[in-house]
Amino acid sequence: MSNKPEILLIYTGGTIGMVKDFETGALKAFDFDQLLDKIPELYLLDCGISTFSFEQPIDSSDMNPEYWVYIAEIIEKNYHNYDGFVILHGSDTMSYTASALSFMLRNLSKPVILTGSQLPIGDLRTDAKENLITAIQIASIRKDNQPAINEVCLYFEYKLYRGNRTTKISAEHFNAFISPNIRHLAESGVHLKINKTMLLKNNQDAFYVHKKLNPNVCVLKIFPGISRLVLESILRIPGLGGIVLETYGAGNAPTENWFIQSLENAIERGVKIVNVTQCWGGSVDMNKYENGIALRKIGVVSGHDITTESAITKMMVLLSENISKEEFSQQFQQPHCGELTV
């Protein structure tokens, strides 16, 4: 019996899984059952690789909570048969999916690594092969015969990040992602260097999947000149459960009476509002300036240094649990899987 780690490769769609039809020039998904034939370098990895592909691969722009549940169920079904999971995913919404899965896959004790590429796998200058090969290699690393990594990660252009700490910053550079508020978890070069102190600890509790998500949320980016009509139209969307409010700097927003009153009225109607910064890096501090203090006083919840992608998916999960306003505030401001720093 082989002691090699077994990795399940899940293809959802995206540029990484494309090859060019040399007759038509069109990009098309290749058959992942033939993966080792397309990328013979994978034979050099000291692990077993199985594949699973969406019956109809999707562009990541079409990703939604139903697909997140589907991906989570694939992992749930195969959890005890594999030592790690690598998800091939379009880069445009990869940070959203990585964040969502980090909250849905509870008590994770194995690596779930999302990766993709900016160029198709069949392209001459593709970044796909390196991203795929290294993601699988990292997923197969063990320590004391147990997986070394126990969280949802994102691997892109030589760096492994905590998935719920990432955001995409470039549509054309190979280094398309950043993790603005914490260091990367590992870096691939001549040697693969893992920042062991950054990794989440192994969770000994039983693994399970949280499958309920409330999609009745939105992101509202504050801008100079935002009108009362626009704000109140959004706040009065029927069935709206929560808003991720992207504010300036350390969590500041206008202090005009109509602005504050509109937010307060929405909160009294049961809408949960979380304050995140528009800046790539840094944290919300609603005790620093009068503008932030005004938001705190009416019940706006601090998102601290959470990303927008992580905030919106965490909100979907918490709203599905039908908890009180006070419990929501408490739970949102506590790190569940390394997504924020208090």
Side-chain angles (χ1 to χ4, degrees):
M1 182 177 178
S2 174
N3 287 322
K4 289 184 178 181
E6 294 292 329
I7 306 300
L8 180 61
L9 185 64
I10 302 168
Y11 177 56
T12 68
T15 301
I16 191 170
M18 300 293 179
V19 292
K20 184 175 288 187
D21 186 319
F22 291 103
E23 291 185 2
T24 66
L27 295 175
K28 60 181 183 180
F30 72 80
D31 184 355
F32 265 78
D33 290 335
Q34 307 300 318
L35 178 67
L36 292 177
D37 294 332
K38 294 287 185 181
I39 313 176
E41 296 93 333
L42 293 175
Y43 282 113
L44 300 175
L45 295 175
D46 191 26
C47 63
I49 302 172
S50 301
T51 61
F52 179 95
S53 177
F54 276 20
E55 187 174 341
Q56 293 184 325
I58 63 168
D59 186 288
S60 72
S61 299
D62 291 317
M63 188 57 66
N64 61 45
E66 290 183 5
Y67 283 120
W68 293 337
V69 172
Y70 181 47
I71 296 169
E73 287 178 337
I74 294 169
I75 294 171
E76 179 184 40
K77 182 179 179 180
N78 293 279
Y79 190 75
H80 298 292
N81 299 324
Y82 293 93
D83 300 287
F85 303 85
V86 173
I87 301 171
L88 302 186
H89 192 290
S91 61
D92 287 346
T93 59
M94 192 185 297
S95 290
Y96 289 94
T97 298
S99 297
L101 291 177
S102 74
F103 301 121
M104 297 169 69
L105 303 175
R106 304 287 178 90
N107 304 328
L108 193 61
S109 61
K110 298 179 181 183
V112 175
I113 302 176
L114 287 85
T115 193
S117 67
Q118 296 287 63
L119 291 174
I121 209 161
D123 228 57
L124 181 62
R125 295 179 52 254
T126 186
D127 55 330
K129 286 189 177 182
E130 194 284 323
N131 286 346
L132 175 57
I133 291 168
T134 307
I136 294 174
Q137 184 180 20
I138 292 173
S140 65
I141 295 174
R142 291 200 257 186
K143 179 183 178 182
D144 299 328
N145 208 34
Q146 297 293 325
I149 294 169
N150 308 284
E151 56 182 290
V152 178
C153 304
L154 188 157
Y155 181 80
F156 223 88
E157 187 64 7
Y158 306 120
K159 286 186 172 65
L160 181 75
Y161 305 101
R162 177 162 298 144
N164 57 32
R165 287 284 198 157
T166 60
T167 191
K168 185 178 180 182
I169 59 165
S170 177
E172 56 183 37
H173 293 155
F174 285 156
N175 56 335
F177 291 86
I178 60 168
S179 176
N181 287 314
I182 66 166
R183 292 175 59 203
H184 51 271
L185 305 183
E187 185 168 8
S188 173
V190 174
H191 303 287
L192 183 60
K193 297 180 180 179
I194 298 177
N195 298 323
K196 297 178 182 178
T197 58
M198 298 296 299
L199 300 177
L200 295 181
K201 295 181 180 179
N202 189 357
N203 197 312
Q204 301 297 324
D205 295 330
F207 170 77
Y208 71 98
V209 178
H210 179 98
K211 299 179 184 180
K212 291 184 178 180
L213 295 149
N214 184 336
N216 297 318
V217 298
C218 75
V219 177
L220 175 57
K221 185 169 185 172
I222 299 302
F223 58 90
I226 186 171
S227 72
R228 183 172 187 171
L229 176 63
V230 168
L231 179 65
E232 292 192 349
S233 295
I234 292 171
L235 293 174
R236 291 188 176 277
I237 294 172
L240 181 66
I243 291 178
V244 172
L245 189 69
E246 286 195 348
T247 57
Y248 308 127
N252 301 314
T255 53
E256 294 175 83
N257 287 336
W258 66 263
F259 184 87
I260 297 298
Q261 191 63 56
S262 295
L263 295 181
E264 186 173 16
N265 291 342
I267 291 170
E268 289 176 354
R269 293 194 302 269
V271 177
K272 311 298 191 299
I273 302 179
V274 171
N275 186 355
V276 304
T277 177
Q278 296 178 15
C279 302
W280 276 358
S283 180
V284 164
D285 182 354
M286 292 195 293
N287 294 310
K288 192 171 185 180
Y289 299 101
E290 288 185 6
N291 301 59
I293 292 171
L295 296 178
R296 176 177 58 79
K297 285 183 176 179
I298 63 171
V300 173
V301 178
S302 175
H304 298 280
D305 62 350
I306 198 170
T307 64
T308 295
E309 295 91 335
S310 191
I312 201 72
T313 52
K314 185 175 184 178
M315 179 175 279
M316 288 182 186
V317 170
L318 290 180
L319 288 178
S320 73
E321 297 177 348
N322 295 317
I323 54 181
S324 68
K325 179 174 69 174
E326 292 74 22
E327 181 69 8
F328 176 90
S329 177
Q330 181 183 8
Q331 287 295 319
F332 200 97
Q333 294 184 81
Q334 290 180 349
H336 292 193
C337 41
E339 73 279 8
L340 58 81
T341 308
V342 178

